[in-house]
Amino acid sequence: MASEFVKTGVAPEGLEQIMEMAEAQAADSISLTNGSLGEADVAAIADLLNARLPSLRRLVLSGNRGDDRGAVQLGSALSDPECGLELLHLGSNGIADWGADTLGKALAANVSLTSLFLGGNRIDAWGCQGLAEGLSQNSTLTQLDLNSNKITPQGFEPLADALAENPAIKWLNLSGNCLGDSGGAMLGKALQQNSSLRFLKVNECAFRADGVVAMAAGIRAHGKLESVMLSRNPVGDHGAAEMAAACCATTSCAVLGMDQGSGEGEG
């Protein structure tokens, strides 16, 4: 029978008892959110995953302080052929490039993970490169959340290239990263080659008209997107019209929350 542990505000001193209970009941889901678990605690959880909790399928640690060291240890656990974890949520954990690089490279070896949530961290170019390397070799991850990191066009370029080739990603959240029109162009180009994506969130990505026009061309070529969330981007009248036309041409696609504003140029 499936067993789930859900706790909020967990302190380090209560972690061992929780893990013992989870092990005794062969838990398949653990959610320890918005607590004060630090990098050593997250690293300890990672050490237990495959040895003591082979039944675990969902691990949610959002809102803690795992930082890079915790992410690195979890990456090591994901690389283990015995790992059966399907969902990993590390949102708002202070993870930067070292942790993201290790998690990304673990995707190249992992064959169980389907959902990876890394929103609200500090991932930049180096971390994006590692994630891109993993995605280019992974065929099981279907959901990736990178919202509200520090991803710039430079960092996004390898991710866009990996997205173009990846056969599995269906849901992608890039909201809250300053991608600009050059990032929009990269995303549009990736969409022309990708065939798996169905849901795309790019709210507040500093897209103006040029970036959205490029994305619209990609959506037309892709033909299978079902939802694009594009709010808080000043795309202008021209950008809004091109995106609307692209979604109309793709009968299954809906564009949600488009701010016209002033969209001339990237400036």
Side-chain angles (χ1 to χ4, degrees):
M1 182 177 178
S3 176
E4 180 178 12
F5 282 81
V6 179
K7 299 284 185 182
T8 59
V10 174
E13 52 268 25
L15 179 60
E16 182 57 32
Q17 182 181 11
I18 290 172
M19 297 305 289
E20 288 176 356
M21 292 172 61
E23 181 183 5
Q25 298 185 30
D28 67 354
S29 179
I30 296 177
S31 178
L32 308 175
T33 61
N34 301 320
S36 55
L37 300 178
E39 57 182 28
D41 306 306
V42 174
I45 293 172
D47 287 341
L48 297 177
L49 279 185
N50 302 323
R52 288 171 51 184
L53 284 169
S55 61
L56 196 66
R57 297 294 177 263
R58 294 168 52 91
L59 179 60
V60 180
L61 298 174
S62 54
N64 283 285
R65 306 169 187 168
D67 296 323
D68 277 340
R69 182 187 166 204
V72 166
Q73 290 297 107
L74 285 167
S76 178
L78 288 173
S79 298
D80 190 323
E82 299 300 315
C83 181
L85 199 66
E86 297 172 1
L87 181 148
L88 178 60
H89 200 315
L90 294 173
S92 301
N93 259 272
I95 297 168
D97 284 341
W98 180 33
D101 178 70
T102 305
L103 287 169
K105 289 176 178 175
L107 292 175
N110 182 273
V111 294
S112 65
L113 200 70
T114 60
S115 300
L116 178 60
F117 295 86
L118 294 172
N121 285 293
R122 298 182 287 112
I123 300 168
D124 203 340
W126 173 28
C128 287
Q129 180 65 51
L131 288 167
E133 290 177 15
L135 285 175
S136 66
Q137 301 176 64
N138 181 279
S139 59
T140 55
L141 193 74
T142 61
Q143 201 169 17
L144 178 61
D145 186 355
L146 293 171
N147 86 86
S148 303
N149 275 278
K150 295 186 175 182
I151 303 173
T152 62
Q154 178 186 6
F156 181 59
E157 186 171 8
L159 275 177
D161 291 342
L163 176 63
E165 301 173 1
N166 185 278
I169 290 289
K170 294 182 178 180
W171 186 97
L172 177 63
N173 189 354
L174 296 167
S175 298
N177 290 291
C178 192
L179 302 182
D181 281 352
S182 54
M186 295 171 197
L187 184 54
K189 182 179 178 182
L191 288 173
Q192 292 186 37
Q193 297 177 250
N194 175 275
S195 61
S196 63
L197 197 66
R198 296 295 181 270
F199 302 94
L200 176 63
K201 292 187 176 184
V202 282
N203 301 318
E204 204 170 1
C205 285
F207 294 143
R208 294 178 181 268
D210 289 348
V212 170
V213 168
M215 284 177 54
I219 289 170
R220 284 178 182 270
H222 187 283
K224 297 177 183 178
L225 271 177
E226 297 177 18
S227 175
V228 181
M229 300 186 71
L230 197 61
S231 65
R232 298 187 297 281
N233 288 290
V235 303
D237 292 340
H238 179 52
E242 286 293 314
M243 181 59 72
C247 286
C248 284
T250 305
T251 54
S252 63
C253 185
V255 59
L256 306 174
M258 191 158 49
D259 303 328
Q260 290 172 248
S262 174
E264 299 308 317
E266 187 173 350

